[in-house]
Amino acid sequence: MSADTTIVLADDHPIFRHGLKQLIEKQAGFRVVAETDNGRSALELMATHGPAVAVLDLDMPERDGFAVARRARELH
């Protein structure tokens, strides 16, 4: 049995984030390991959980999705 693809979700709109989580987790082989509403904590969660995928909102508080992606790439 193969492991699930792990995902961190970061979006400052809770209804959208929770709906996306439900859609993702209905698909076999995918698991949301953490979610947040800002870029700073997205980086922390990515460091803690080491997900295979990060779904990032481009416009969110503390760091936008582009800044989070650039910093994650630098760190990992």
Side-chain angles (χ1 to χ4, degrees):
M1 174 179 261
S2 64
D4 288 345
T5 299
T6 56
I7 301 167
V8 166
L9 295 178
D11 193 296
D12 59 329
H13 297 92
I15 293 172
F16 178 78
R17 189 176 65 245
H18 295 300
L20 184 57
K21 178 181 178 180
Q22 288 179 333
L23 286 172
I24 289 169
E25 291 190 333
K26 284 184 179 180
Q27 304 302 310
F30 295 95
R31 183 170 50 94
V32 175
V33 293
E35 56 182 284
T36 186
D37 63 356
N38 69 74
R40 179 192 47 77
S41 66
L43 282 170
E44 293 171 1
L45 292 171
M46 290 164 66
T48 300
H49 296 282
V53 176
V55 178
L56 306 170
D57 186 359
L58 296 182
D59 184 22
M60 62 183 159
E62 300 193 38
R63 282 193 172 192
D64 65 31
F66 290 118
V68 172
R70 279 191 298 271
R71 184 66 180 147
R73 188 171 183 181
E74 292 169 1
L75 294 173
H76 306 287

